[in-house]
Amino acid sequence: MAEAFQFELVSPERLLLSEKVTSVVLPGAEGEFGVGAGHSPFLSTMRPGVVKALSDNGETFEYFVRGGFADVSASGTTVLAEEAIPMSEINAEFLAQQIKNAEEDAADAKTDETRQKADLVVSQLREVEQAVAAA
Amino acid sequence: MASLKDLKNRIASVKATQKITKAMQMVAAAKLRRAQEAAEASRPYAQRMGTVLGNLAAGVQGRDDAPKLMTGTGKEQVHLLLVCTAERGLCGGFNSSIVKLAREHANKLLAEGKDVKIITVGKKGYDALKREFAQHIIEKIELRGLKNIEFKDTKAVGELVLKMFEDEKFDVCTLFYAQFKSVISQIPTAKQLVPAHFEAQEEVAEEGADNALYEYEPGEQEILETLLPRNIAVQIYSAILENAASEQGARMSAMDNATRNAGEMIDKLTLSYNRQRQAQITKELIEIISGAEAL
């Protein structure tokens, strides 16, 4: 069995998860990445997506996060999510609503920069939707 | 001397007040538990954010291209005070102690010839400051009618502050709120938001070796640029949660005191009511007896 390390998922409202895990898959801003024990110190922003953690007793935890950032250090991995919801509470309708909101943001955007950002969020959310639909 | 009837009315009214304060105390106690949990649950996020930023900040310190949110604008002329208070009164010295701290700060800055701008969050802060600093208050935000304050509710406050900073409307921003220690102790606190201050910095400097190994994705600079604005929103959010817990704590102890005082008052009034009643009976007896003797 792989070595375990401490993983924490925190949202502004509360500490969602604090577990010993063997691996975590995070949706980094520049692509998904996996973290195992002894990963070199690493700091990345995250795009909307799914955080998957495999605990050392075989449980998996899946959370939908809406952006945030991940801090991988020697003492463990911490994900500071802007918003995090357990995958079990996520359904297609919820995602459709999120996409709709994001699209409205894009439509309302006043500058090119904010529109680009909003468009990016829309496309990222669509990816998540596809992944959820496939699962 | 008040008549018997007056005393009776007084006692009835104090009793009614006591019932109200007792009920308020119990409501505050119930709300306090929830608010306290929320405040405590939000601490890990704010704390970790501080550590991560501390790490990052140590790396870019002293560089010319470091984000302005961290290094400041290089001036200290315009100060923005963000004063967070409660929406309601009847919570002892809670609102006034925050306002007092903010007022002292503002007066000190004004005496130094600085410009002061004030944003109040919460109705009570505005009420207390408007007389003295009416021309300095640029915005008042009310978070009325929100049962549970969520991050997205306070995000708007953060965005407002950021927008003002981008437009170079201020140089230094300070946040005023009451830190929740316990039910009987809430500490009014001033916290500097912009330029950002990190307590972790010194500690990190010692562990400089660990820091150097950090990899960043996208780049250090980009991360700092997304994190710093979020940090402000988070700091405001956690301040407002701390405030909510402090408010309920302060109200609970204030109402507990009020209930006790009302109890004491009732005892005293009842005593003097009884004394007077007895005195009247004695007086009547004397009248009857002396009337009988005269015959």
Side-chain angles (χ1 to χ4, degrees), chain B residues 31-105:
Chain B
K31 281 189 179 164
L32 169 71
R33 232 194 49 225
R34 236 180 309 141
Q36 194 179 349
E37 273 166 18
E40 274 163 10
S42 81
R43 276 181 197 162
Y45 191 93
Q47 243 167 34
R48 299 237 158 76
M49 185 75 116
T51 340
V52 170
L53 275 172
N55 276 331
L56 275 166
V60 293
Q61 198 119 74
R63 281 194 354 211
D64 294 340
D65 56 348
K68 280 211 167 138
L69 276 174
M70 207 171 79
T71 55
T73 52
K75 289 177 290 182
E76 277 192 357
Q77 186 52 36
V78 187
H79 285 249
L80 177 72
L81 312 183
L82 201 58
V83 185
C84 299
T85 52
E87 294 293 347
R88 288 150 197 269
L90 287 178
C91 42
F94 172 74
N95 287 317
S96 52
S97 63
I98 298 175
V99 168
K100 195 175 141 212
L101 187 71
R103 184 183 293 138
E104 277 167 10
H105 195 86

Side-chain angles (χ1 to χ4, degrees), chain A residues 110-128:
Chain A
K110 286 186 186 74
T111 63
D112 279 346
E113 201 187 336
T114 50
R115 186 172 311 120
Q116 267 172 15
K117 268 190 195 155
D119 282 339
L120 190 66
V121 172
V122 173
S123 65
Q124 286 163 345
L125 282 168
R126 281 200 195 289
E127 273 173 43
V128 178

Side-chain angles (χ1 to χ4, degrees), chain A residues 76-97:
Chain A
T77 299
T78 310
V79 169
L80 300 183
E82 206 164 290
E83 202 183 331
I85 305 155
M87 271 312 258
S88 54
E89 288 170 24
I90 298 265
N91 52 33
E93 280 159 45
F94 173 82
L95 278 171
Q97 184 61 42

Side-chain angles (χ1 to χ4, degrees), chain A residues 1-7 19-24 35-37 53-59:
Chain A
M1 182 163 251
E3 212 182 313
F5 61 101
Q6 189 67 28
F7 174 68
E19 284 283 333
K20 284 265 178 225
V21 297
T22 52
S23 80
V24 188
V35 179
L54 186 70
S55 84
D56 61 349
N57 52 27
E59 265 182 283

